[in-house]
Each structure stands twice: as C-alpha cells, then as structure tokens.
Amino acid sequence: MLIDIHAHFYTERSPWSNWRDLNARRLAAGAQMGIAVHVASILGTWGARSPIYFPSREDVEHANGAMLELQRAEHGRIVGYCLVNPNYPEHALAELTRRLDDGMVGIKLAASRRANHPLLDPIAAFAAERGVPILHHVWQRRGRDWPGQEASDGAELATLAERHPQTRFILAHLGGGGDWAHTLRAVRDVSNIWVDLSGSGVDPDMMDEALRQLGAGRLLWGADLTLDTGWAKLRYLEASGLPEAEVEKVRYGNARAIFPPHAFHVDH
C-alpha cells in the first residue's frame, strides 16, 4: 500500500486550460504506482486571481470547495487538506471548522506567513484540538527573503512545533531543493515534526541521512506536483535494505498514525 501525503490538484480557475486532464493523469499515474490515497490540496487559483502564497478569502473558499468535491467524487482515493491564509485569522478558523466538519483531514499552510509568527498559533492549537496534522511549506534553509512569499525553513517550523507539542506537523518537500542537511539538524530533536520526502531532489545522501537522523518512523512518502521523482525515492527505499516493516512505515504506516482514524478507508 502507498499513501501520497503531498498531492495537488487544479480547478477551472487555475491558469491551465487542461486542468481536468492534469487531474486525471495524476490519478492514472498514481494507480499505476500503487497509490491508494492522494492527500491533496488546491492552492487557491494557483496565482490566476490572487497570489499563490497569499490567496484571497474567495480563492481559499473556492479551492477548498473544489477539493471537497474531488474527495467526494473519488470515494477515498483523494482526501483533502484545508488550505487557509493565516493573514486572515478569523476567516482561517471559520474555514477550518467548516471544512473539517465536511470531511477534510488536515491543514495546509503555504508560504503565507513565517512559521514562527504568532498568527499561526491559533491554527496550531486548533489542529491539536481536532487531531489533524498541518502540512507546512518549507524552504530547506532560508538564506534570504524571496518575492511573493513568506517562506519558512525547518528551524522556524521547529519553533512553532515546540510551542505546540500536541500538534502534529509535516515539514514539506525535504527534496524540494536547498540545504536538506540544515533541515534535518533543525528538526531532529522536535518529535512532533514528520518530514515529507517529496520534491525533485533524489540525493542518496539525503535519504540515508534522513533515515539515520530521524528514523523511518518520522518520514512520509509524498510526491508534490509531479510523481516521477516520488517514484525514484520509492525505488530507493525498496532497494535500501531496510526491513520491510520500516519501508511500510514510510509508504503508509506513519500517515495512518498521524492523520485522523477516519482519514483512510482502504485495506492493506
């Protein structure tokens, strides 16, 4: 069994006219790979009507509504993260309450506000109360600010996680470029952070160090925007010599442990 804990889909308001085809191709390719469940979010209108990392309230609601429609249409093959923009605190908490009540299983925070900012505290506390994880967009070492985003790195996410020890955090795309070694050091001793392996980087050293420093019990398999490099990391895990029970933790076991019990209606 395989659970992709970092997937994305698109809507008619996305910049791509072939959005339906993109969604269908992800599901078809995932089926070939053996993905049982895609845990996914839609990032507003992907920049078409408001900035990707600073989506308007309207774009947030549109994206979450479309995500729920996909979740219902695919009968367990897709489950949704609720995207929120923490710069709208009251709207974020209202949207989270509504969408989790409707069946979403996690929270997606993009680069809308730095992870150690106090605006994220109410969201983190809410996640703990509802028993859902937060997938947080992260740069693997943020050496400077970048236009169009409030990017965070692992050290900043660790600060938030230490303030909220009962909340489960997923650090996004360890393989997304940058200094993954910095990230591993920053989160190694923060046990309520799990690391998702997605992103284009497939460095063998990255995989070896992630296993050495965090252990298989804190790693999650994910693909992010495309599936090909996720496939490469999956093949690496299978050829790594890890005991099968440890590989299964990364493939699906850890996801089942940190998401709500009702999140995955599939059998092994």
Side-chain angles (χ1 to χ4, degrees):
M1 189 171 129
L2 186 60
I3 295 174
D4 180 358
I5 60 84
H6 192 155
H8 292 295
F9 291 96
Y10 309 97
T11 78
E12 74 279 4
R13 295 188 188 178
S14 305
W16 305 281
S17 60
N18 65 336
W19 63 274
R20 283 191 180 89
D21 183 51
L22 293 172
N23 289 350
R25 281 192 286 169
R26 185 181 191 104
L27 286 172
Q32 288 185 307
M33 292 173 60
I35 296 175
V37 184
H38 303 256
V39 193
S41 62
I42 299 172
L43 300 189
T45 58
W46 291 95
R49 299 192 181 195
S50 61
I52 292 177
Y53 294 130
F54 300 98
S56 67
R57 297 173 184 87
E58 179 186 359
D59 283 356
V60 165
E61 292 178 20
H62 162 74
N64 290 330
M67 191 69 251
L68 272 169
E69 287 180 13
L70 280 170
Q71 178 172 315
R72 291 163 181 155
E74 292 300 328
H75 306 293
R77 277 206 302 171
I78 298 175
V79 294
Y81 291 104
C82 180
L83 169 75
V84 291
N85 183 342
N87 294 294
Y88 306 122
E90 292 182 4
H91 179 265
L93 290 177
E95 185 72 357
L96 286 170
T97 300
R98 176 163 68 124
R99 302 304 187 178
L100 292 183
D101 286 347
D102 284 343
M104 285 185 155
V105 300
I107 299 170
K108 168 66 176 179
L109 291 176
S112 303
R113 182 64 71 166
R114 202 134 303 140
N116 57 1
H117 195 281
L119 276 176
L120 272 65
D121 287 323
I123 295 171
F126 179 92
E129 290 170 9
R130 295 296 296 260
V132 297
I134 296 175
L135 173 62
H136 202 298
H137 180 97
V138 162
W139 277 97
Q140 310 313 327
R141 188 168 190 143
R142 182 182 56 79
R144 64 179 179 85
D145 289 324
W146 294 82
Q149 55 186 292
E150 274 275 320
S152 304
D153 68 7
E156 290 160 336
L157 183 61
T159 298
L160 179 66
E162 288 170 339
R163 292 206 301 260
H164 297 274
Q166 302 306 312
T167 304
R168 299 185 291 274
F169 295 90
I170 302 171
L171 183 148
H173 38 64
L174 183 69
D179 188 353
W180 48 260
H182 171 270
T183 294
L184 294 175
R185 290 192 298 270
V187 306
R188 179 177 53 207
D189 298 324
V190 187
S191 61
N192 57 324
I193 295 179
W194 285 257
V195 169
D196 115 42
L197 297 173
S198 72
S200 57
V202 291
D203 310 4
D205 287 352
M206 179 188 76
M207 300 289 288
D208 290 340
E209 280 300 302
L211 287 165
R212 186 180 72 82
Q213 295 199 43
L214 303 183
R218 286 178 60 195
L219 302 181
L220 298 156
W221 187 84
D224 202 357
L225 288 173
T226 59
L227 289 170
D228 50 357
T229 54
W231 174 252
K233 278 171 281 219
L234 183 61
R235 295 293 292 163
Y236 179 86
L237 279 171
E238 291 171 343
S240 66
L242 279 177
E244 182 61 25
E246 298 291 282
V247 174
E248 288 178 353
K249 287 179 183 178
V250 183
R251 288 176 62 101
Y252 68 90
N254 296 331
R256 280 187 147 173
I258 69 172
F259 281 87
H262 66 273
F264 308 121
H265 300 289
V266 291
D267 295 322
H268 177 225

